[in-house]
Amino acid sequence: MKKIKLILPVFLGLVLSFSSCSKDDDEIVDPGDDNSGEIPVEPNEPELLELRNYSSGQKVMMQTFYWDVEPRHEWWTTLSDKVEGWADAGIDRLWFPVATKGQSGGYSMGYDPSDYFDFGEYYQQQTTPTRFGTRTELEALIEKSHNLGLEVIADIVINHNSGGGKEYNPYRDKDTWTLFNEENGNASGWFNRNYENFYPNSTSPYDDGSLFYEETNLDHNQEYVQDWLWKKENSVAKYYMNEMGFDGWRFDYVAGFEPWVVKAWLDEVGGFSVAELWDGNASNLANYVEETGSGAFDFATFYKLDEAFDRHDDLTFLERDMLWKTHPDKAVTFTANHDTEKDDNEDNNISVENKMKAYAFILTHPGYPTIFYSDYENENFQAEIQQLIEIHNSLAVGDIEILHVDKDEYIMKRNGNNENPGLIIYISTGENTKRRNVQTNWKNVTLLDYSGNSTYIPTSDENGTASLEAPANGYAIWSVSK
């Protein structure tokens, strides 16, 4: 059994050794038949800790959009009505959609970038506002977010371009849509481009094999492209940060260009950064963050959650390699995003019935969790996600130990520290309530489920052993009471 363990100072009688004491793996306990260690409900019933008095030192990020958001042209104002509630819930960063004009104009989600400096102020691609609204509305949203203490993260697409004018391209010996100027998809007049700035060209006489828009795949080796993307004072990176007020970057499709590009960008302008390297191999993700200095979406965790809860229905997959295990400060964990939740995506998502268990996992484990807009705005999920965020922001502290794992049970402990008790999460995919004796860090104390999914009230003994519970096909998050 794999363990990640660090001996920490004593808190509430912290024990310095780990042992597992459990009932038979297959035993299902009827809560009414086992009163060992349980305190009858009395007038002086134990109370939950005031979580606002504790801090894990980290909050969570909100992805503020889904694919093909509606209503078109009103998204910035829609978000403006929500940011205060998100700040109150414990969010500290907002990942915005691609904010500039794409080839599809008012229908574009921004991943077909045309003009990097048109935030909804130039009439081109048959519209002035972007799908999300006008520049004025965006600037007001950024200002409001900053006033609430929220950072705003720009989605940046620098692999491919789309929506330019047609010109003869001698390197492909045919016409290509590679002319970007004031009359052709780049009304701002900044960062004009032609076939010389895309693969192949006179300085890079080869096709780099891009999967997207291969004829308009930017050549980042060119000084001109580097100047306009991140080096010049009015480059994309510096303009977004200094003029628009963005605080960081979500780099789209980084498999389409070399890692040194992201490193050079961050060396020049800094800011929070997360890369979309769609790769479920934890080692590949680790290599990328080491090479670039950027964070990365933890696709390894996403796929392990999918395999554990859906594909294989086997929680032992939660023991396997994930980016947060080696690079917790660089792993941006998630359970859903605009791509995984597309209507036509059946192979790369976590099912609705298992999604909250997946959120419980990422919001109790190391890494920087991301909440998906559509999940948070789902009235069936919102209160539960808010509670998980509060638990994450307060009690998700300390190194972890996996106390038990089998096909339908997973129990993990966060060890806490001198000032913070930490937590234990117990996930079950079984059809009945489960109980298991585990070694806690808490001696002779009453424990409560902070998720609200269990009303069971156990106590730990003088050695810190306690019988904890998980509801059928659900989870509980245990810590000490007042």
Side-chain angles (χ1 to χ4, degrees), residues 82-366:
K82 296 183 181 297
V83 291
E84 188 170 359
W86 291 344
D88 290 342
I91 304 296
D92 66 348
R93 287 192 178 97
L94 305 177
W95 163 18
F96 283 2
V98 181
T100 51
K101 195 71 59 66
Q103 178 180 15
S104 302
Y107 293 91
S108 173
M109 284 298 295
Y111 295 100
D112 53 349
S114 177
D115 189 335
Y116 285 100
F117 296 91
D118 181 2
F119 293 88
E121 58 186 302
Y122 299 99
Y123 182 82
Q124 59 181 331
Q125 313 297 12
Q126 301 183 337
T127 182
T128 296
T130 66
R131 185 183 192 108
F132 313 110
T134 66
R135 174 176 177 146
T136 300
E137 292 163 345
L138 172 59
E139 289 175 326
L141 173 60
I142 292 174
E143 181 179 12
K144 184 174 183 178
S145 300
H146 284 163
N147 289 340
L148 292 166
L150 300 170
E151 289 192 359
V152 290
I153 307 306
D155 203 324
I156 295 293
V157 184
I158 57 173
N159 167 242
H160 52 270
N161 291 171
S162 186
K166 185 167 67 173
E167 61 180 349
Y168 177 71
N169 185 336
Y171 300 101
R172 292 185 179 272
D173 192 23
K174 66 175 183 178
D175 289 338
T176 54
W177 302 89
T178 47
L179 180 61
F180 292 83
N181 56 26
E182 291 87 335
E183 294 76 36
N184 297 277
N186 200 52
S188 69
W190 289 21
F191 194 18
N192 284 335
R193 292 131 15 234
N194 62 30
Y195 60 77
E196 273 288 356
N197 307 125
F198 304 99
Y199 290 104
N201 55 59
S202 60
T203 56
S204 300
Y206 54 86
D207 188 337
D208 81 330
S210 174
L211 296 176
F212 295 102
Y213 304 95
E214 62 178 9
E215 294 179 351
T216 51
N217 180 26
L218 281 169
D219 180 2
H220 302 92
N221 297 294
Q222 290 189 347
E223 193 73 20
Y224 178 82
V225 173
Q226 295 175 21
D227 283 345
W228 272 110
L229 285 181
W230 67 83
K231 287 184 175 179
K232 291 164 55 100
E233 286 307 306
N234 56 348
S235 64
V236 171
K238 292 178 181 177
Y239 191 90
Y240 281 40
M241 184 168 279
N242 300 331
E243 296 297 325
M244 298 302 297
F246 284 102
D247 303 290
W249 323 101
R250 181 266 184 187
F251 289 101
D252 179 68
Y253 187 58
V254 297
F257 50 93
E258 298 89 344
W260 68 261
V261 174
V262 170
K263 185 179 188 306
W265 181 299
L266 295 178
D267 287 346
E268 185 73 28
V269 299
F272 171 85
S273 172
V274 58
E276 185 207 29
L277 180 61
W278 198 307
D279 191 327
N281 186 303
S283 295
N284 292 342
L285 295 171
N287 291 338
Y288 187 87
V289 301
E290 289 173 2
E291 189 169 355
T292 63
S294 173
F297 285 113
D298 194 346
F299 278 91
T301 293
F302 171 76
Y303 280 114
K304 293 301 170 286
L305 291 168
D306 182 26
E307 290 165 341
F309 293 127
D310 286 325
R311 295 182 191 231
H312 304 295
D313 190 22
D314 183 352
L315 298 188
T316 63
F317 279 87
L318 299 180
E319 281 193 296
R320 301 192 182 187
D321 291 341
M322 306 180 203
L323 180 61
W324 62 260
K325 292 187 176 184
T326 57
H327 296 77
D329 60 326
K330 296 296 186 181
V332 180
T333 53
F334 67 101
T335 66
N337 64 33
H338 60 294
D339 285 318
T340 68
E341 295 293 310
K342 286 180 182 177
D343 291 339
D344 61 351
N345 193 341
E346 298 180 356
D347 296 327
N348 292 294
N349 62 30
I350 296 170
S351 63
V352 172
E353 57 269 26
N354 287 318
K355 190 168 286 186
M356 294 313 302
K357 293 192 288 291
Y359 270 115
F361 184 93
I362 68 169
L363 285 160
T364 53
H365 286 67

